[in-house]
Amino acid sequence: MKKILIIITTFLCFGYSGFAQIPERPNPPRLVNDFANILSQSEIDQLESGLVKFDNATSTQIVVVTVSSLEGYDPADFAFTIGEKWGVGQKGKDNGLIVMVKPKQENSRGQVFIATGYGLEGVLPDAVINSTVVDYEMIPRFKENDYFGGIVAGINVIMDITKGEYTAEEYKQNVGQNKEAGIVPALIIFILIFVFIMRGRRNRFYSPGRSLPFWLAMGMLSGSSRSGGSFGNFSSGSGGFGGFGGGSFGGGGAGGSW
């Protein structure tokens, strides 16, 4: 009996300690919580005002949380626990969403996870979040240390889908078409570069100093297939955030690393 009590006590202590590692709900409440210090104050203000406006207009609460460490948590568990502990979203609607970002560091990979409340799981399927919003909109920008751009690009899409501007499936199809369309100009540029080099060699005119530099050629090739981010949908709001509504999370969402 004594041994069982010791095991239970140890479990409870470790469970409480692990739970305490999750950031406390901000007071006063905020939708943008940059614990990792990867955003400027003006970027935080722009995000906060836009998310407040979206919350006021739709009641859907999108919370951005950046952390320098996951404290041993799985990215999904970390994001879900924040959503539950803070009560993100409206009670009964469960329309909260957590965008959790851990920046890449010398000794650890970067992590991003988008956790959706019960009420948003049907609107934002995990497959769309993972293969398009995270992989297509966010991580390419995160790789360039553009955390603000990546967060805004992902949130713009989430806002449009939840508002009904287009469905998740329509967005996924559009992304696929854009990727296919990007292959054609890339091939054209590659062929032109190849022809230029071969013609230069034939005329004995090719030399590093007189031809198109390799780094520039590769830059043109890679740049042709990149998609530009649109920040037009992310408009500023007015007023302060009224607070979280007690929403619940059931395990929906997806993420990635870089």
Side-chain angles (χ1 to χ4, degrees), residues 75-96:
D77 290 340
F78 194 94
F80 292 139
T81 305
I82 287 178
E84 284 285 339
K85 186 178 180 182
W86 292 11
V88 178
Q90 305 301 322
K91 189 173 183 179
K93 294 184 177 181
D94 299 324
N95 55 348

Side-chain angles (χ1 to χ4, degrees), residues 109-156:
R109 295 176 62 85
Q111 299 278 354
V112 56
F113 195 90
I114 297 176
T116 55
Y118 280 115
L120 295 178
E121 290 179 7
V123 180
L124 290 165
D126 297 353
V128 172
I129 294 175
N130 184 46
S131 64
T132 52
V133 177
V134 170
D135 291 345
Y136 184 75
E137 301 287 354
M138 303 180 80
I139 288 182
R141 292 174 171 87
F142 291 161
K143 286 180 178 180
E144 298 176 354
N145 292 320
D146 181 12
Y147 289 104
F148 176 71
I151 291 170
V152 170
I155 288 176
N156 271 338

Side-chain angles (χ1 to χ4, degrees), residues 3 23 110 188 200 232 252:
K3 187 176 294 185
I188 293 175

Side-chain angles (χ1 to χ4, degrees), residues 2-3 9 41 90 95-96 100 107-108 110 116 128 143 151 180-181 209-210 215 253:
K2 184 178 179 180
K3 187 176 294 185
T9 303
Q41 189 58 53
Q90 305 301 322
N95 55 348
M100 189 281 299
N107 58 348
S108 64
T116 55
V128 172
K143 286 180 178 180
I151 291 170
E180 292 176 2
R210 305 178 75 176
W215 62 267

Side-chain angles (χ1 to χ4, degrees), residues 27-68:
N27 187 22
R30 298 184 303 276
L31 291 171
V32 181
N33 302 269
D34 183 26
F35 300 119
N37 297 316
I38 58 176
L39 302 173
S40 68
Q41 189 58 53
S42 63
E43 291 171 342
I44 292 173
D45 293 342
Q46 184 179 344
L47 280 168
E48 182 75 20
S49 62
L51 293 177
V52 168
K53 181 178 180 180
F54 186 71
D55 176 36
N56 292 338
T58 66
S59 81
T60 298
Q61 294 180 346
I62 299 175
V63 173
V64 175
V65 179
T66 75
V67 293
S68 56

